[in-house]
Amino acid sequence: MSAPPDDQLGFAPDHDAPIPYMQRTREYYAAIGYTTPYRWAHYIDAPFQPLKKPLARSRVAIVTTAAPYDPAKGDQGPGAAYNGGAKFYQVYDGDTSRPHDLRISHISYDRKHTTATDSGTWFPLPQLLKAKAAGRIGEVAPRFFGAPTNRSHRVTIDVDAPDILARCQADQVDVAVIVPNCPVCHQTAALVARHLEESGIATVVMGCAKDIVEHAAVPRFLFSDFPLGNSAGKPHDESSQALTLELALRLLEQAPGARTTMQSPLRWSADAGWKLDYNNVAQMSPEELAKRRAEFDKQKEIARGNRAA
């Protein structure tokens, strides 16, 4: 006797699950000729810092992997191709009392399904300011902090995370909301969260790459099953962005201990076909892979020159 079909049982298609970014990334780089698999950060245990005071009396900072727009660095606009020239290699900060034009052309977000026309999807400062006005949090920290997307675990752990911690401590930050965009960004965010938490600052990572963040073991993770580049909510959808931040704040308050993941109830779309596209070698021709290898090498040289400068 045959089993009833999925539609009768109400099953979702198998691909409608969190994208396996670590596996996809390994297979993709192998397919374009890089045969040494990348070692993703992996921990079993995570530090955990409970809130020291209610959020309504806490000072909250944002840590982002987005980059300040610089017109001298080529196309960084919506839909721009990967732009290695726009990468940054040192921690930076910005005044939260002013608006900022932060962009994500320098990283590997989902360019097919993300238009990158609304920075509210990767930089939740407007929503955080509204949370302050509503009394949901005590203060927005005077500065936000930019974390370099560094493939070197050692540089992130020994240089960038301590730098962000020192700036948080100087600003008397109680809580950090960390918002990554690309696959390696999610690893960076996890390593920064762990370092801040070990030093007494409660954190929550808001992200879209579930496997990478959980592999690195963070204290609190709000997972949105959206294309990369939308960790803070859907573009041009203020209610989505407000709910995403609120869920992150609730997780800060309610997580019982380390390695707590909360999944947002929001769906990107009714059709989960978008999950089949990102860096999926099964969807690419040999010609497409060769083109991507050439472009990757070109951008790597540009980025290397910027790092040396």
Side-chain angles (χ1 to χ4, degrees):
M1 181 176 179
S2 60
D6 286 358
D7 56 353
Q8 289 185 17
L9 296 172
F11 288 173
D14 286 346
H15 68 263
D16 193 358
I19 294 174
Y21 286 104
M22 292 188 295
Q23 176 186 337
R24 288 261 186 102
T25 302
R26 289 191 185 105
E27 292 175 351
Y28 174 74
Y29 282 104
I32 65 172
Y34 293 91
T35 56
T36 302
Y38 184 66
R39 175 73 162 100
W40 293 95
H42 187 205
Y43 296 96
I44 301 302
D45 298 318
F48 186 77
Q49 173 60 58
L51 291 177
K52 295 179 178 178
K53 60 183 80 168
L55 278 178
R57 292 194 287 113
S58 295
R59 176 174 283 189
V60 183
I62 295 173
V63 180
T64 178
T65 58
Y69 172 63
D70 182 344
K73 292 183 176 180
D75 188 2
Q76 300 144 70
Y82 176 81
N83 182 353
K87 292 183 76 68
F88 62 97
Y89 296 97
Q90 286 82 39
V91 174
Y92 73 89
D93 56 54
D95 181 352
T96 57
S97 68
R98 301 190 300 107
H100 293 270
D101 186 0
L102 301 186
R103 305 196 183 186
I104 55 175
S105 66
H106 64 295
I107 50 183
S108 298
Y109 69 91
D110 187 336
R111 283 170 166 78
K112 182 171 182 178
H113 298 284
T114 300
T115 61
T117 55
D118 179 8
S119 64
T121 67
W122 61 78
F123 184 53
L125 179 58
Q127 292 300 330
L128 200 65
L129 291 170
K130 289 179 181 179
K132 161 64 173 69
R136 184 68 174 92
I137 64 171
E139 295 179 84
V140 177
R143 297 182 292 174
F144 69 90
F145 307 107
T149 301
N150 205 315
R151 288 182 174 83
S152 168
H153 313 98
R154 184 59 58 195
V155 171
T156 300
I157 292 169
D158 290 350
V159 179
D160 299 335
D163 190 346
I164 292 170
L165 171 63
R167 296 179 197 225
C168 285
Q169 290 174 330
D171 286 0
Q172 298 181 308
V173 167
D174 299 304
V175 173
V177 174
I178 307 175
V179 191
N181 295 287
C182 69
V184 176
C185 295
H186 282 75
Q187 176 176 260
T188 296
L191 295 175
V192 170
R194 293 176 58 87
H195 190 80
L196 296 182
E197 206 91 13
E198 287 169 348
S199 300
I201 296 175
T203 67
V204 60
V205 176
M206 301 166 62
C208 301
K210 187 172 188 281
D211 60 332
I212 294 171
V213 175
E214 292 186 338
H215 198 65
V218 300
R220 306 168 190 82
F221 175 43
L222 174 66
F223 171 55
S224 293
D225 198 4
F226 293 167
L228 294 173
N230 300 280
S231 291
K234 293 183 178 182
H236 309 291
D237 185 338
E238 188 169 332
S239 63
S240 166
Q241 295 171 18
L243 176 60
T244 302
L245 178 63
E246 173 58 26
L247 292 174
L249 297 178
R250 290 183 198 172
L251 184 55
L252 280 159
E253 295 172 321
Q254 299 172 8
R259 305 203 69 169
T260 299
T261 295
M262 175 191 290
Q263 178 162 343
S264 168
L266 299 177
R267 284 182 61 82
W268 182 252
S269 65
D271 180 2
W274 63 269
K275 298 183 182 185
L276 295 171
D277 293 330
Y278 183 83
N279 277 4
N280 188 350
V281 297
Q283 307 276 79
M284 301 179 197
S285 67
E287 294 76 18
E288 174 67 14
L289 290 169
K291 177 182 175 182
R292 290 191 176 215
R293 169 63 190 254
E295 182 60 26
F296 181 81
D297 288 345
K298 174 185 173 183
Q299 293 298 329
K300 190 166 65 171
E301 285 303 312
I302 293 172
R304 182 179 291 117
N306 288 348
R307 185 193 294 267

